Amino acid sequence: MQSALQIATSALQSNEVPVGCVFVHNSRIIASGRNDTNRSLCGTRHAELVAIDKILATYPPSIFKETDLYVTVEPCIMCASALHQLGIRKVYFGCSNDRFGGCGGVLRVHEGDGVDDGKKDGNGAGGYEVVGGIYSSSSVVRLRQFYVQENGRAPVATSKKGRELKTDNLPVDVDIL
Amino acid sequence: MQIRLQFFDEEEEVLLLDKDSPLHNLVPLRTLQEIRAAIETIDVFTVPIPSRSANAVLSSLRAIVPTSLQHLRRLVKPCYIPDSLVDFLAIPSTPPEENILYLLVCPVTDISEENLSNFLRELPAFSTTGTIPRIMTVAVPSSQPISAAQATEWSAKYWPAVYKRGNPYGPHPSIVSQTLRGLVDPENHILLAKRVATEAASSGEGLGFGAVIVDPQTGQILAAAGDARLRCNEKGWGNPLDHAAMRAIDMVAQRRLGRAQNVRPDNKVEVWNGIYLEDEGASGKIVVKVNGNSNIKNEDKDGNANGENGKEVDDRKDDGYLCHNLQVYLSHEPCVMCSMALLHSRVGSVVFGMRMTRTGALSAEEGGRQMGLFWRPELNWKFVCWQWKASPGEEMESHENVDA
């Protein structure tokens, strides 16, 4: 998770939303990713999908069944579904995402569709396990650091002069690593 | 007090279509909230009161129960009580010869029947005549109607309802008709999406799903992509996430990136193998780019890099951000991932062909996943969505158990 946080920090420096992730297979990091939406002008280039593309360049899709994801922010609904379709084993995340989290923040995509009749392809209906709250305060601070920066690409730039970095009222950490 | 039962507070904007207009094939999706609003009822107290005391009773009540349920008539003449309630609410013929009105008091959760009864009994309207207020419980729709038609339906079924212009549970009717009018040649574009789907399937590189993205400002097709999850890389496997919509979104970004000033020319860009179309539109020939894994950037049909041929039609000055307000045509209802990708990309409207009851994430109707992702208050973007009803015999293969 500390690696994921480092990657989030590097995203911050290149003016991307600071979310970082690593995929771990047999105790080894097989890929890392960070948000790349601003550079790519593509709203789907989230950290998870960037890393997934890297993994698939080297490993077959079946590797995800024995792979865990560590990501600084709860995967969004899109990524949660992508991870489900790939059959990820387990997801550890930092802070939860009440704007569009797909692992409990807004929807519970990680639980699957609740129907497991063996008909569905891929991972079927079974969901994957998620553990949240790991280094969540560090993850939140990264995000808050970003949102006091200006986002030059945002469609309607709002003034952020009045914003300041808040470090109070952070979520409770579960530093189990 | 004058009671006016007026259901049509405002004339609803109605889009008049020609009898033969292809737009008749477009069925707007109902949002999750609209569907819930259409079925949820709540128990409320109602009391018959003498009409001359109506105002006094109302203002006294204000002190003890909050005013809620603004979408329902507070005072209703017996002649407007729905048929289903008439017998239930019938007043014994004695004692009152005078006119009575039915007062909708409040939800049963706001006050106990006993407290309400005691309170009413003390009011002059009842205390002077010595009558006992007859409190009854009826079920009424808990949220406001989303159209004049629904208000009329509810008025006949539950309780006289008021349609206030607007729609708190989904796109305002005028937004829907305005967006509908703004759709660029939906028939051809949905047909193109289906054609791309068929080609994806017959190529063996993907399943039969297709996506087309159109810029409403120029009418230009920015991307047309088929599903490509079966396309193997040199290692021998495909990317299970190479869905048509994801690829089309990516292609739009690639186009924009090819022209963005702030990107260095040597920046490596991962390019999807995809289909780009001539500017003439859906009827034009499909130009298939077979570019392997090379880093060709968005070449047009003559091999010129975009931006060098002077045709910068898709590079809009106001915003080149994501897929802001673009129109998306899909052969099938997209999965959760693709639906959310469209939302993240800020698309303006989506038309899909075949509904995917097992995996689709846009529809909120029963018999599916009921996610209604296109319009949810908790998400930071919303778009208008239609299903294109195919004529008999024109349906696509359903692939119902697959994420499209």
Side-chain angles (χ1 to χ4, degrees):
Chain A
M1 187 52 91
Q2 281 176 343
S3 308
L5 274 169
Q6 268 178 17
I7 294 156
T9 309
S10 79
L12 184 65
Q13 281 152 6
S14 43
N15 214 8
E16 295 283 353
V17 177
V19 181
C21 73
V22 293
F23 283 82
V24 176
H25 178 253
N26 288 341
S27 313
R28 203 168 62 83
I29 293 178
I30 54 170
S32 64
R34 65 177 210 204
N35 234 29
D36 191 35
T37 53
N38 282 336
R39 187 198 61 84
S40 68
L41 300 182
C42 184
T44 66
R45 296 283 82 199
H46 286 187
E48 297 92 327
L49 296 192
V50 169
I52 286 168
D53 277 357
K54 288 187 199 167
I55 293 170
L56 287 172
T58 315
Y59 304 97
S62 57
I63 194 170
F64 288 100
K65 297 199 170 16
E66 296 150 7
T67 300
D68 302 328
L69 165 69
Y70 294 80
V71 56
T72 57
V73 181
E74 178 192 347
C76 78
I77 293 167
M78 172 184 70
C79 294
S81 171
L83 293 162
H84 179 249
Q85 293 183 37
L86 291 168
I88 192 86
R89 187 170 68 183
K90 194 164 178 176
V91 171
Y92 300 88
F93 64 83
C95 55
S96 68
N97 179 348
D98 58 6
R99 297 285 299 284
F100 26 68
C103 298
V106 175
L107 293 177
R108 307 182 66 80
V109 177
H110 63 287
E111 290 174 348
D113 60 13
V115 186
D116 195 359
D117 54 9
K119 267 202 232 156
K120 205 162 165 290
D121 73 331
N123 190 37
Y128 51 87
E129 209 181 322
V130 294
V131 179
I134 304 161
Y135 288 129
S136 55
S137 58
S138 310
S139 305
V140 167
V141 168
R142 292 296 180 291
L143 289 174
R144 290 184 186 175
Q145 280 174 335
F146 176 77
Y147 287 109
V148 294
Q149 293 179 2
E150 298 276 346
N151 181 358
R153 290 239 194 268
V156 185
T158 49
S159 170
K160 297 184 180 174
K161 276 180 194 150
R163 299 196 191 177
E164 50 187 49
L165 178 60
K166 288 180 189 155
T167 48
D168 55 332
N169 193 22
L170 289 166
V172 183
D173 270 326
V174 190
D175 290 335
I176 59 165
L177 292 182
Chain B
M1 162 163 273
Q2 210 192 356
I3 309 295
R4 267 171 56 223
L5 269 182
Q6 182 193 1
F7 299 135
F8 304 91
D9 283 22
E10 289 278 350
E11 194 79 14
E12 220 177 313
E13 193 189 350
V14 178
L15 181 64
L16 294 171
L17 298 173
D18 292 340
K19 193 156 54 72
D20 303 327
S21 168
L23 296 183
H24 284 302
N25 289 17
L26 288 163
V27 181
L29 257 58
R30 292 195 296 167
T31 70
L32 191 55
Q33 280 186 301
E34 285 173 354
I35 291 167
R36 287 188 179 155
I39 50 175
E40 275 178 15
T41 59
I42 182 175
D43 283 342
V44 296
F45 291 127
T46 179
V47 174
I49 56 172
S51 61
R52 58 181 163 75
S53 326
N55 274 337
V57 173
L58 259 185
S59 46
S60 311
L61 269 176
R62 228 164 258 147
I64 61 155
V65 289
T67 312
S68 57
L69 304 170
Q70 304 275 346
H71 60 288
L72 299 170
R73 296 284 168 193
R74 205 69 202 280
L75 292 161
V76 178
K77 277 186 183 173
C79 61
Y80 290 116
I81 290 294
D83 291 346
S84 55
L85 292 180
V86 165
D87 291 341
F88 174 65
L89 295 181
I91 304 288
S93 51
T94 55
E97 300 83 31
E98 61 186 323
N99 291 331
I100 67 124
L101 292 173
Y102 286 92
L103 167 66
L104 191 155
V105 183
C106 63
V108 296
T109 48
D110 284 356
I111 190 170
S112 73
E113 186 169 341
E114 191 188 349
N115 285 349
L116 178 63
S117 176
N118 291 337
F119 178 81
L120 292 172
R121 213 178 295 222
E122 301 298 315
L123 296 178
F126 295 98
S127 63
T128 51
T129 56
T131 49
I132 299 165
R134 187 160 167 267
I135 300 173
M136 289 162 290
T137 305
V138 293
V140 296
S142 58
S143 20
Q144 65 188 78
I146 59 165
S147 66
Q150 193 174 48
T152 311
E153 185 197 324
W154 288 359
S155 299
K157 196 170 167 194
Y158 299 102
W159 193 267
V162 190
Y163 170 59
K164 299 206 173 77
R165 197 164 68 117
N167 178 2
Y169 309 113
H172 189 282
S174 70
I175 292 179
V176 178
S177 52
Q178 197 184 334
T179 320
L180 182 65
R181 271 195 301 268
L183 289 179
V184 182
D185 200 359
E187 186 173 29
N188 265 328
H189 288 132
I190 195 80
L191 284 175
L192 178 65
K194 291 178 175 185
R195 216 166 85 205
V196 172
T198 311
E199 281 176 26
S202 60
S203 74
E205 295 196 322
L207 303 175
F209 304 127
V212 171
I213 300 184
V214 177
D215 183 344
Q217 291 187 4
T218 62
Q220 191 197 16
I221 296 171
L222 299 181
D227 181 271
R229 72 187 77 181
L230 304 177
R231 174 185 291 154
C232 294
N233 58 15
E234 64 271 26
K235 302 251 182 174
W237 54 77
N239 184 339
L241 304 182
D242 272 359
H243 296 190
M246 295 295 278
R247 298 181 69 237
I249 290 168
D250 217 78
M251 284 159 69
V252 172
Q254 300 295 329
R255 286 186 83 120
R256 298 221 190 289
L257 206 52
R259 292 173 185 187
Q261 298 300 308
N262 55 349
V263 177
R264 295 200 317 277
D266 59 341
N267 250 15
K268 252 188 111 176
V269 177
E270 315 113 62
V271 174
W272 296 108
N273 294 324
I275 304 162
Y276 293 94
L277 289 138
E278 292 174 313
D279 294 347
E280 281 76 35
S283 55
K285 277 178 287 181
I286 294 179
V287 181
V288 183
K289 289 287 168 195
V290 184
N291 54 7
N293 287 315
S294 63
N295 281 316
I296 309 170
K297 273 189 218 160
N298 305 319
E299 290 183 348
D300 66 13
K301 61 184 192 301
D302 301 320
N304 294 325
N306 279 338
E308 289 174 13
N309 58 1
K311 273 192 187 174
E312 299 206 5
V313 271
D314 72 319
D315 202 11
R316 298 175 297 172
K317 285 192 189 91
D318 54 345
D319 60 64
Y321 185 68
L322 310 178
C323 297
H324 194 221
N325 282 341
L326 298 182
Q327 296 172 359
V328 182
Y329 300 87
L330 303 166
S331 63
H332 293 70
E333 182 183 1
C335 71
V336 180
M337 173 182 70
C338 292
S339 300
M340 197 59 194
L342 293 167
L343 194 126
H344 280 318
S345 302
R346 310 282 202 271
V347 302
S349 41
V350 171
V351 178
F352 66 80
M354 183 70 91
R355 187 180 169 201
M356 301 291 278
T357 51
R358 295 291 304 274
T359 58
L362 291 181
S363 172
E365 301 288 336
E366 276 183 40
R369 296 192 70 173
Q370 294 189 274
M371 295 181 84
L373 275 184
F374 71 102
W375 196 283
R376 290 180 67 121
E378 63 268 56
L379 299 175
N380 66 347
W381 184 256
K382 298 169 184 71
F383 52 87
V384 190
C385 197
W386 291 268
Q387 183 182 4
W388 179 273
K389 294 283 186 193
S391 319
E394 284 178 10
E395 294 97 347
M396 299 286 295
E397 194 185 336
S398 71
H399 303 284
E400 60 166 351
N401 297 318
V402 181
D403 287 288

